[in-house]
Amino acid sequence: MNKAYRVEVGRWRRAPRGIVVTTTALVAMLTGCSAPPRAEHATPVLELPTTTQPEATLAVDWWKSFGDARLNALVEEALAQNRDLARAAARIDQSRAALRLARADRLPSVSASVASSRQRASETGAIPLGGVSPVANNHRATLDVAYEVDLWSRLARTQDAARDELLATTDARDTLRIALAAQVVESYVALQALDAQVVLFERTVQAQRTSVDLQRRRYEAGDIGELDLRQLEAELIANEAQLPKLARARGDAQRALAFVLGRSPRELVDGVVARADPPAAVPTGAQLPGALPSNLLARRPDVQAASARLRAAGARVDAARAAYFPSISLNAGIGGESAELSKLTNGTSLIWSVLASLTQPIWDGGRIDASNDLARARQREIEIDYRDTVANAFKEASDALAARTETEQSLRHATDRETALAQAARLTKLRFDGGEESRIELIRAERADLAAQSELVDARRAVAAAQADLFRALGGGWSGAGTDLAAAGAGRHAD
């Protein structure tokens, strides 16, 4: 059962289907209710690893540290046209509109209404007309104001939740921006590496074709045996077989990068991603921290997004809890009503009303309990997500630091190995020309040198990709980062 009380300025009168109350009783009921205390929703305290590295400072446009103008242009293109980022921007607009709705719910609503009616009453009904015309006109115009008193902070906490959800959505967009820039860098260096591999094998195949033609003429002249010729032909065929594979891999990589850039289907098929021709050396980035920075959590927007979602979930719990308490509404209206339209603005046609109502839920089939259980269950889920996000941030950063160290060491080893094998191939060629080595030994030496050059190209690609991944794991140059996670959360939560 719901009780509603109406107060009319100047006098008290029984409301339709209501009961008469005194001013003292109504005031006593309103002042006798106290707002429920706001529950504490503290951010979980987690065991974090000890960090010895000072705070990391990275540029917002960190990809420019690779020193490649074409790469810079591609990243900017992706940030402007990528469809995943466009979806994230749409989600931000949705969250911003939800926040405006939550704010509007805390403000009074003002409306105007105009109505005219003409009706005829029965002359033989239960109520005699007494000579009055059965046809009656009525014209009415009113200005109405309605306001819900947020005594229990339900609307305020709903607005807090909407604000934090907007922050979380914005941080999620920033997380995507950083990941997208890293993906473009990794795709670009992979494409450059494939370009270099194609050039390497094409050059090798061309030299081997020339050599096979020469040796075939020598075989036909009887200067060499068939074994030497067939060994050369087999090696040429093996290297020629690599060219279609590399061409396919390069095409796949180019289309994948074009898709990330947000290009049209036509450009995906017919377009070309601009890069150096002939391929330039795979770029490497700037110096990065060698250990976990102390401000890692504050640097990563995904951690900040998880923290904002956790605050929003706590606010939703408070808002759901406030539904147990009475709701208080204030309504007022003023206007005119007259049977003649020309007299609608006369003083004698003035009408007004003032209504204050208090509604206390008594039984609703468990709806309020279910809403509270739902809000609390979501809060528990989001808290687990927050813990996982923090743990994943340290895992990704540690993995990226280890990958950067490993790839740099591998690059040094690949460089030394390629230098040694190139010298070995040169010496083997000199010994072969002097009749001291067989044809098969020369082929083996040149094959090892070719493999070493290919591995060196891939090692350079791996270093650049590891650096891009480390930039991403450290939060890139996220401009929303602060130096203290708790302070950052409190400051960003302020209205």
Side-chain angles (χ1 to χ4, degrees):
M1 180 179 179
N2 295 331
K3 296 181 178 180
Y5 303 90
R6 183 166 71 182
V7 181
E8 187 169 312
V9 175
R11 56 178 177 173
W12 297 86
R13 71 181 183 186
R14 180 171 297 177
R17 301 179 184 178
I19 60 175
V20 177
V21 295
T22 63
T23 304
T24 304
L26 181 59
V27 172
M29 284 195 306
L30 294 177
T31 58
C33 300
S34 59
R38 177 180 296 185
E40 294 295 331
H41 305 288
T43 301
V45 179
L46 307 178
E47 295 182 3
L48 303 179
T50 302
T51 58
T52 57
Q53 180 77 25
E55 295 181 359
T57 302
L58 305 177
V60 175
D61 51 355
W62 55 266
W63 53 87
K64 292 184 178 179
S65 64
F66 288 89
D68 190 320
R70 294 180 180 85
L71 174 60
N72 298 341
L74 291 176
V75 173
E76 295 298 336
E77 180 182 351
L79 295 179
Q81 299 184 13
N82 180 264
R83 287 180 284 274
D84 287 335
L85 271 183
R87 292 187 188 95
R91 288 191 289 270
I92 290 176
D93 291 340
Q94 295 171 33
S95 297
R96 188 175 290 114
L99 177 57
R100 292 203 308 269
L101 286 173
R103 285 174 174 167
D105 287 340
R106 300 185 64 186
L107 301 175
S109 62
V110 181
S111 61
S113 62
V114 177
S116 294
S117 64
R118 180 179 176 85
Q119 62 183 5
R120 185 184 189 283
S122 174
E123 298 183 47
T124 59
I127 302 177
L129 296 179
V132 178
S133 173
V135 178
N137 297 325
N138 189 62
H139 306 283
R140 182 184 179 94
T142 60
L143 181 68
D144 303 297
V145 180
Y147 177 68
E148 180 177 350
V149 181
D150 192 22
L151 191 60
W152 325 115
S153 299
R154 179 182 66 84
L155 299 178
R157 296 300 283 153
T158 300
Q159 179 179 331
D160 291 342
R163 182 188 303 113
D164 283 322
E165 287 164 356
L166 173 59
L167 290 175
T169 307
T170 303
D171 290 338
R173 188 272 316 275
D174 294 339
T175 302
L176 181 59
R177 285 175 59 89
I178 295 172
L180 178 62
Q183 184 178 359
V184 171
V185 172
E186 293 176 18
S187 299
Y188 179 78
V189 297
L191 187 56
Q192 275 200 316
L194 287 168
D195 286 339
Q197 297 275 16
V198 169
V199 170
L200 174 62
F201 274 85
E202 284 179 344
R203 184 171 63 242
T204 300
V205 165
Q206 184 60 41
Q208 288 179 339
R209 285 172 179 167
T210 302
S211 178
V212 166
D213 290 341
L214 176 62
Q215 298 306 320
R216 184 176 289 112
R217 287 193 294 271
R218 294 185 63 193
Y219 167 72
E220 292 172 350
D223 294 338
I224 63 172
E226 185 179 358
L227 178 61
D228 287 340
L229 177 61
R230 300 311 174 203
Q231 287 174 338
L232 282 174
E233 290 177 340
E235 189 67 12
L236 172 60
I237 293 171
N239 288 329
E240 285 178 332
Q242 296 301 315
L243 290 175
K245 297 178 181 179
L246 290 172
R248 176 187 173 185
R250 180 168 62 175
D252 291 346
Q254 180 168 265
R255 286 185 290 273
L257 179 53
F259 182 83
V260 172
L261 296 175
R263 294 185 176 179
S264 67
R266 177 181 177 183
E267 291 175 311
L268 283 177
V269 177
D270 301 331
V272 176
V273 176
R275 53 196 187 276
D277 186 21
V282 176
T284 55
Q287 293 297 319
L288 286 165
L292 292 174
S294 59
N295 62 338
L296 174 63
L297 293 186
R299 287 208 53 82
R300 288 187 51 130
D302 59 336
V303 175
Q304 294 298 312
S307 178
R309 283 192 290 268
L310 186 57
R311 293 195 304 270
R316 295 290 183 191
V317 169
D318 291 338
R321 183 169 176 262
Y324 283 111
F325 300 91
S327 61
I328 301 172
S329 299
L330 303 177
N331 298 81
I334 188 171
E337 185 175 19
S338 173
E340 299 181 20
L341 185 60
S342 60
K343 297 181 180 180
L344 186 61
T345 57
N346 292 353
T348 55
S349 301
L350 176 66
I351 58 172
W352 52 263
S353 65
V354 177
L355 171 68
S357 64
L358 183 148
T359 304
Q360 170 64 56
I362 296 178
W363 185 84
D364 61 359
R367 180 177 284 105
I368 296 179
D369 289 338
S371 296
N372 272 267
D373 292 342
L374 177 61
R376 292 185 182 279
R378 285 176 175 168
Q379 183 186 34
R380 291 195 300 271
E381 179 189 7
I382 293 174
E383 180 178 334
I384 295 172
D385 290 343
Y386 172 80
R387 293 175 182 272
D388 282 349
T389 302
V390 172
N392 186 61
F394 281 100
K395 175 185 178 299
E396 288 185 347
S398 299
D399 290 348
L401 286 167
R404 194 272 301 269
T405 301
E406 183 272 329
T407 55
E408 289 180 345
Q409 292 175 351
S410 296
L411 177 59
R412 288 195 294 270
H413 295 156
T415 301
D416 294 341
R417 184 170 183 269
E418 194 280 329
T419 301
L421 288 174
Q423 179 67 4
R426 188 182 67 83
L427 294 175
T428 303
K429 180 67 166 59
L430 291 175
R431 290 172 61 84
F432 173 79
D433 292 341
E436 300 178 18
E437 287 288 358
S438 65
R439 170 74 62 181
I440 189 64
E441 291 301 325
L442 177 60
I443 290 175
R444 287 172 179 171
E446 291 177 342
R447 181 189 302 158
D449 183 33
L450 176 62
Q453 293 180 60
S454 178
E455 291 172 1
L456 180 58
V457 170
D458 190 67
R460 288 170 176 159
R461 177 209 58 79
V463 168
Q467 289 184 341
D469 189 57
L470 182 55
F471 272 114
R472 181 196 60 78
L474 296 180
W478 185 50
S479 59
T483 57
D484 181 76
L485 180 60
R492 286 152 52 84
H493 183 62
D495 187 9

